[in-house]
Amino acid sequence: MKEWSEATIRKFRQKLLAWYDREGRDLPWRQDHDPYHVWVSEVMLQQTQVNTVIPYYERFMATFPTVADLARADEATLLKAWQGLGYYSRARNLQRAAQQIVTDYQGVWPPTAATLADLVGIGPYTSCAIASIAFGQAVPAVDGNAFRVFSRLLLIDADIAKPKTRQLFEEIIQPIVDPDRPGAFNQAIMDLGSSYMTAKNSDPAHSPVKDFDASYQLGKVEDFPVKTKAPRPKLIDYYALIIHSPAGYLLVQRTEREMLTGYWTFPFVTKASLQSAEAGDEATLAQDIESLENLFASDYQLPLSLTMVGGRLVSHTYTHQRWQVKLLEANLPTTPGLPFYPGKWVPAGEITDLPLPKVQEKVMARYQKQVDSQAFSGN
């Protein structure tokens, strides 16, 4: 690992911040240093690209202008505002932390990284980002950009997939952070990591800090950061049941025991949960359909005649799971009651009023495409 002298650190700060002042991104959450704005933007930016986040951020702020508005929001409004961003626990943690700020802190934000970390859902990176940008605390905000930038600048070969590596980077970067402009420093590193020092197709030759980039000088940019590969997401086969009656489509709200808690979907059933799954992967579609029809008839008093919806499967990947969804359809001539099934009939035109996860939107789009195709062909 390369070490910098105090003189080199001062030159680096000067070069970095001069570039940031000229070319830093003009983003809606950078219009002020309000901790609420910084916080919401940083949480949205976890696992999501900046260009994707901007319209979500603007709508979220229009819906919840203050932390108190967010604290008292009803769940449906919250989830609808977050719909499409994924990683839905982030939205719930935002609200829980907002409620802490209003109730436990009387609406006054804790001003340091250590105290911010006591709020629900705020980890080491987010606490340092808020503390530095909103409150001027000289702490490093170590995210993927910081890992990449500083591993290349200083030839740090520690595996960033290991939790303990974060502390190492924090210790190395801490004395480099500009004590007078820590927020601008951290945001400059973010911008550097998303422009000249990206994960792929980086442009170190034109970087404003190329003179400080040891990996560029040695021709080893692609060797950093060091990161062991994560295991592949587990493949899970699902059936999505598109059940239609004169009253609309059957939808169910996902429970706290499931992923996507609080969001609405068609009934989703895993292949592994069916009796026919005892035959393993050899269980035929016909056997699975029979098991599903028996399940809904016996447990929910809903007699169904399911048929396969043509077209490709719907695939959706989460961090640890990849869902592969086959679509089945049942049209009921009359609308049965639902005394034993925890769902409701929703008219087609009202489905999108509910908070829907991305996988549900994909299923609906696939189904609509098949319906349109059949209508066009005259089938």
Side-chain angles (χ1 to χ4, degrees):
M1 188 189 87
K2 193 174 181 65
E3 294 185 7
W4 286 348
S5 67
E6 283 295 328
T8 300
I9 289 173
R10 285 195 297 271
K11 290 178 182 178
F12 175 76
R13 291 171 183 161
Q14 183 179 23
K15 194 80 171 179
L16 176 71
L17 291 172
W19 167 76
Y20 178 71
D21 289 339
R22 291 192 313 270
E23 301 184 33
R25 290 175 293 182
D26 182 17
L27 300 171
W29 47 86
R30 289 184 178 175
Q31 304 309 307
D32 57 43
H33 295 156
D34 187 316
Y36 179 54
H37 299 162
V38 177
W39 172 50
V40 172
S41 68
E42 290 296 344
V43 173
M44 286 187 170
L45 287 164
Q46 295 167 16
Q47 310 291 337
T48 312
Q49 296 294 320
V50 168
N51 288 339
T52 301
V53 163
I54 290 173
Y56 283 99
Y57 172 84
E58 292 174 336
R59 287 196 295 268
F60 196 90
M61 284 301 160
T63 306
F64 312 114
T66 69
V67 70
D69 294 319
L70 176 58
R72 60 174 171 260
D74 63 85
E75 183 180 64
T77 303
L78 172 67
L79 294 180
K80 191 66 179 175
W82 198 266
Q83 181 177 316
L85 278 172
Y87 299 91
Y88 301 107
S89 62
R90 292 183 295 171
R92 290 192 175 82
N93 286 338
L94 271 173
Q95 185 173 56
R96 292 189 185 108
Q99 291 166 346
Q100 279 182 278
I101 292 167
V102 170
T103 303
D104 299 343
Y105 295 88
Q106 292 73 51
V108 178
W109 281 80
T112 67
T115 52
L116 285 162
D118 290 334
L119 299 175
V120 174
I122 294 186
Y125 164 73
T126 306
S127 63
C128 289
I130 299 170
S132 63
I133 298 169
F135 300 109
Q137 185 182 10
V139 287
V142 181
D143 66 347
N145 287 311
F147 278 132
R148 186 165 58 256
V149 169
F150 282 101
S151 67
R152 291 176 180 176
L153 293 177
L154 300 172
L155 303 178
I156 305 171
D157 60 3
D159 183 357
I160 67 171
K162 295 181 178 179
K164 65 181 181 181
T165 300
R166 172 180 293 278
Q167 183 177 353
L168 171 65
F169 271 77
E170 289 174 345
E171 292 172 354
I172 293 170
I173 301 170
Q174 178 66 64
I176 303 175
V177 175
D178 191 294
D180 298 321
R181 301 181 64 194
F185 180 94
N186 283 328
Q187 290 178 105
I189 296 298
M190 297 172 198
D191 285 7
L192 195 61
S194 62
S195 56
Y196 296 101
M197 300 182 73
T198 53
K200 297 179 180 178
N201 303 315
S202 60
D203 184 18
H206 297 96
S207 166
V209 295
K210 68 178 181 181
D211 293 340
F212 303 86
D213 188 345
S215 69
Y216 169 61
Q217 293 160 8
L218 295 175
K220 294 184 176 182
V221 169
E222 300 304 321
D223 294 342
F224 297 91
V226 174
K227 183 179 182 180
T228 54
K229 290 185 177 180
R232 289 185 177 182
K234 179 182 179 182
L235 178 64
I236 301 180
D237 291 314
Y238 273 93
Y239 288 106
L241 277 54
I242 304 171
I243 305 169
H244 183 256
S245 81
Y249 290 87
L250 183 61
L251 274 82
V252 62
Q253 189 173 32
R254 310 231 356 139
T255 70
E256 293 183 357
R257 298 189 302 275
E258 302 171 295
M259 287 179 58
L260 313 178
T261 303
Y263 281 84
W264 290 82
T265 67
F266 294 135
F268 276 56
V269 182
T270 62
K271 178 182 175 66
S273 68
L274 301 176
Q275 292 180 357
S276 58
E278 294 176 359
D281 292 336
E282 302 303 317
T284 65
L285 175 62
Q287 290 173 315
D288 284 347
I289 287 177
E290 182 180 1
S291 293
L292 285 164
E293 291 174 344
N294 290 338
L295 170 67
F296 273 73
S298 61
D299 289 9
Y300 307 126
Q301 303 300 303
L302 282 174
L304 304 177
S305 179
L306 294 164
T307 57
M308 182 73 179
V309 175
R312 297 172 57 186
L313 301 177
V314 169
S315 181
H316 192 72
T317 302
Y318 298 97
T319 304
H320 303 298
Q321 296 182 6
R322 181 165 71 88
W323 291 13
Q324 193 164 269
V325 188
K326 290 182 179 177
L327 278 57
L328 301 176
E329 181 181 18
N331 289 305
L332 303 178
T334 60
T335 302
L338 301 171
F340 303 107
Y341 189 76
K344 66 179 181 179
W345 298 106
V346 182
E350 297 178 12
I351 292 177
T352 55
D353 294 337
L354 298 171
L356 308 172
K358 189 66 176 179
V359 67
Q360 171 69 11
E361 293 179 336
K362 285 185 175 181
V363 168
M364 289 165 58
R366 159 49 54 194
Y367 178 63
Q368 187 61 50
K369 184 175 182 180
Q370 187 64 23
V371 169
D372 292 344
S373 173
Q374 291 174 346
F376 182 77
S377 66
N379 294 331

